[in-house]
Each structure stands twice: as structure tokens, then as C-alpha cells.
Amino acid sequence: MMGAEFVALSLPPILIGICVAVACALPGNFLLLRRQALIGDAISHVVLPGIVVAFLVTGAVATGPMLIGAAGAAIAAVVVIDVIRRLGRIESGAAMGVVFTAMFAAGVLLLERSDTSNVHLDVEHALFGNLESLIWLDATGWASLLDPAALAGLPVELPRMALALLVVALFLFVFWRPLAMSTFDEGFARGMGLRTGPLGLALVVVSAIAAVAAFDAVGSIIVIAMFICPAAAARMMTNRLGRQVAWSAGFAALSAIVGYVLAGYGPLWVGASASVSAAGMIATVSGLILALAAIAGPHRKAVQ
Amino acid sequence: MTLALVQDDAKLTEAARMASPLAVRGLTVSYGQTPAIFSVDVTVRAGAMTAIVGPNGAGKSTLLKAALGVITPLAGTVAMLGQPLDRMRDRIAYVPQRASVDWDFPTRVIDVVLMGMYRQLGLLGRVRATHRAQAMACLDRVGMTDFATRQIGQLSGGQQQRVFLARALAQEADLYVLDEPFAGVDAATEKAIIAVLKSLRDAGRTVVAVHHDLATVPDYFDDVVLLNTQVVAAGPVAHVFTEDNLQATYGGRLTTARADPESVAG
């Protein structure tokens, strides 16, 4: 398992899984503390109509237009959610719930009415992605990691996801203080002259970048789980924001590795023949970690 | 003759506004259809302690928030020493209502105080020993040094309010604006807070606070603004804080207002 086969078949999906998990978990910390955790859920649902519209416009399953369509839909949803929240004066969770279900449903209808039978575009793909198929055929062993010719054959999702992770990490690093201040005490932050509105929007846009980049590779299940589970589990491990974010990144990476290995080999270990969905297993593992933290984490909130 | 007098008066108010650390003109804020505050003019006297007093829903917090740009007013201007507020941000410290934040947030007391030093630290500036020492000195002024490494949710209401005050002290501002600093705090904390505020005033700083307890207004404050959506009266406590003006501010509700210092609406 540690040889050429591992490098070609398992290493790329595991690395992509780690990038997806960490890229979503990092902003998830702030979304959770701002009581906006559902926005990850919302974004990963609304990208479906965006992708379908992009397909209908271009007539091809090309990554570029699809990402643009998905990003467009995500931004439209964020704006609509905000408008509903302000004009309707309802809680943001309710606004998100309405918008993302409606847009996802519209996406399903569009998908059904359009002729996508001959291309790889369906609701199942949107939910679970296809992590297992992201293999690296040019790899012949660990040495391929240093071989430029072989590296050129890496699944394109890996560098794309690594870039998304870098964007997310850089954003959080640079705007750490304003984000922490405005998340804890928005009134104080505004009194200091911080533009908390654009900052909050930037956080959502960065989350959308992570979600849209991840969606194509792994579907929405992992995205939804990773925006919430690692951060929620990490909150129960520490009472300090920096450590919480570090814990959440660790939990996310752990979920990706353990989930992928369990999905691929777990069924064999218990005597079953076929493997199960890696995306589903990664999300499940992150849920189990959350459950463990809720039972045994040192900084659980006291039950009142 | 009358005309000259009026002009003189106008010049005087203009001069007072230019010298005021918080001069508000025509400030109007509306949530939905009815205005929360309507055409409010307030000129805060420099180096004085000013109380903003009025019944529940009078717009006291709204006035502070709109004056500091925390919420966007429909109309009106705000100036500090004749300058637009955005240029004077580093000279203003704002202490919001304690109930307005999530005290379960994962942060320690000392980290909250360090937030007050954001303008010194900037986006990426490192927190050095001098910054920590400065933050500890601020905690010392409110008697909270022993709690520096506690998670903020583990504090009592009074202790939380002291931490908020310490964060404002760390800003080393000229104008301190506090929203209900005595709401839900113990007597010892109220004493400690008023002592710190008076020491600020004695050092030439200006303090503006929303206040609920009419009984302590003459003790604690120099000036008072009586607010009920509009300004009913404003000026030195000795002149303005009269039974007639209070009756005009509170209407028939004066007795209830006195019996209910706990409420945080406004």
C-alpha cells in the first residue's frame, strides 16, 4: 500500500480531501461564532443552479465557466439572504434556509428539464462529488513527487484546492484582529471605525471560494460538514480563539485522512466487498469527532 | 438690538460646538416607521461628565450608537472638535451595553483589553511585552488583574463590565462613551467604575454615559441630557435636572421609571 499504487491512487484524493476540509473548517470557526454556520450549507446548495446555468450557457462541462457560474450563484444568494434579512427583519438562519432550499430546488428543476444525460452532471454528483476518481495516473512511486513531467499530470483539483486553502489562510491571517474584534463585539469594532459590513461580507466571500472550489471535487456533503463540525468540536477543546482555529484545522485534516482510509478499506476489513463513498465517510468521521468532543471535551459549555 | 443678540447667541453655540468633543446636530434615526430619535441636537461639554437620561425606548442607546456611527442615521451630523468623526476615531472609546455581546466567545480577559489597542497594533503588529504591561495596567485600574487569564464567560456581570471599561482605558481616548455602564452590576463595581470615570474627568477627559438611576445623577454627573425621542432639556445638572423637566421627559411614567433601573432597552 505504501508504494506506487498508494501514490497514484490514494495520495491525491487524500491531499485534496485535506485541503477541502481545512479550507472549509478555517472560516467555519468565525461563521460558527457569528451564528452564521448555516451559510456554508447555503453556499454549497446554491452553487448547483449556478453550475447548471453555466452548463446551459456554454454547453460543455468545463471547469472555468462552472466555477464562474457557481461563484455567481453564491454571491447572488449571499446578497438575496442579506436583503431578505434586512427588509423582512427576520433572523439570518431563516433567511438562509429559504434562499438555499429555493435555489437548490430551482437547480434540480433546471437540471431535470435540460439535456444533461450525456454529461457527468447530476444531483448525486452534486452531493457526494467523486473524490475517489481523482487519481494520478502519471505517478510511478514516491519519486514522481519530484518529477515535473509526472507532476503535470496531477489531478487539476489538487492545485486548485491548495490555492483556495492558501487564499482562505492568508485572509484569516491578515484580518485576524478585525475579524476577532467584530465577531466578539461588533458595536465596539464599529466604534473604532472598522468597516464591519464589508469585513463580514469578505468572510462570506472567502467561505464561498472554499465551498465552490471544493464542490467540484468532493460535492456538498463534505463542505457542509467541514464548515461546522471541526469548528464546533474545537470550541469544546479550548477557550482561546487561536487555539480553537488550530484544533479545527487538525480535526478537519484528521477527518479527511481517517474518512478516506475507512471508506476505501473499512468495508474490506469487515468482510464486505465494495468500498463506500469517501465524501460520506469523511463527513461521518467529522461528526463522530464532534460527538466525542461534546462528550469529553474539556471546555464544554455548562448545561444551564 | 434683538437681532444682534440672536447673532451673538448663534456665534456662541457655534463656538461651543467647535470646542465640543461630541457635537450632534439634527440626528434622526428610525427603525421601521417611527423615529427612535428625532432631530436631536446635543453639544457635550469638554472635560465634563454627561448623563443621558430618559424613559425606556427614549432612544438613549440609539443616540450613542448613531453619534458614533455604529448605526447609520437617517439624517444629522456629528463632529468632534469641529472635525468629522472618522478622522477622530483614535480619540474616542466606546463601551457598548454588556448584554450586546456573546460572553461565551473563546477569549481571555487580557485579550479583550488588548482589543482596545488595535489602533496601536494594526493588522499584523506583534503584541509585545510593553503592550501586555499596558493592558495589565488598565486591568489594575479596574481591579481585575487577578482575572487576566480567565475566559470572559467565567466572570460575573460586574467583572465583565470592568473588563469592558479596561478595554476602553487601553484606547487612551479623550472621549469615553458608555452605554448603561451600571446596568446589572454589583454595588462594589458601580463604585469602582464611577471612581475611574471621575478620575478620567479630573484628567481632562470627557465622559458621556447612558444612565438609568435618576437618584444618582446629581452625585455622578456634571451635565445631563433629558431625552425622550427628542431632547427635552440639556445642560448642567443644577439647572436642568428639575422636577418639571423630569415630568416632561417621563410624563406619567416617572414613578415606574424610578422603580425599574434594570431595563436595558432604549
Side-chain angles (χ1 to χ4, degrees), chain B residues 121-173:
Chain B
L121 290 166
L123 276 184
L124 297 171
R126 265 188 53 201
V127 176
R128 297 178 189 283
T130 51
H131 297 120
R132 278 182 209 289
Q134 197 183 330
M136 287 305 283
C138 295
L139 281 174
D140 189 41
R141 286 180 73 180
V142 297
M144 287 291 291
T145 43
D146 292 346
F147 298 87
T149 56
R150 287 275 189 95
Q151 198 261 329
I152 50 169
Q154 297 165 359
L155 307 178
S156 73
Q159 290 168 333
Q160 291 172 345
Q161 192 66 58
R162 292 180 194 214
V163 172
F164 261 22
L165 183 57
R167 180 179 65 178
L169 292 174
Q171 290 180 254
E172 298 195 322

Side-chain angles (χ1 to χ4, degrees), chain B residues 234-245:
Chain B
V237 171
H239 298 153
V240 169
F241 201 64
T242 61
E243 200 66 37
D244 284 352
N245 280 338

Side-chain angles (χ1 to χ4, degrees), chain A residues 177 185 190-192 235 240-241, chain B residues 70 104 106 119 122 125 167:
Chain A
R177 274 189 194 132
D185 189 345
R190 291 186 63 109
M192 265 205 165
R235 176 65 192 91
R240 295 177 66 176
L241 184 59
Chain B
V70 173
D104 203 34
R119 287 196 164 262
R167 180 179 65 178

Side-chain angles (χ1 to χ4, degrees), chain B residues 6-50:
Chain B
V6 170
Q7 274 174 351
D8 252 17
D9 207 35
K11 264 186 210 157
L12 261 178
T13 32
E14 191 52 37
R17 274 198 207 106
M18 293 300 288
S20 168
L22 190 67
V24 168
R25 286 194 81 177
L27 205 61
T28 300
V29 178
S30 161
Y31 304 116
Q33 294 298 317
T34 45
I37 55 172
F38 183 74
S39 193
V40 167
D41 291 352
V42 172
T43 306
V44 169
R45 187 155 60 94
M49 284 176 68
T50 301

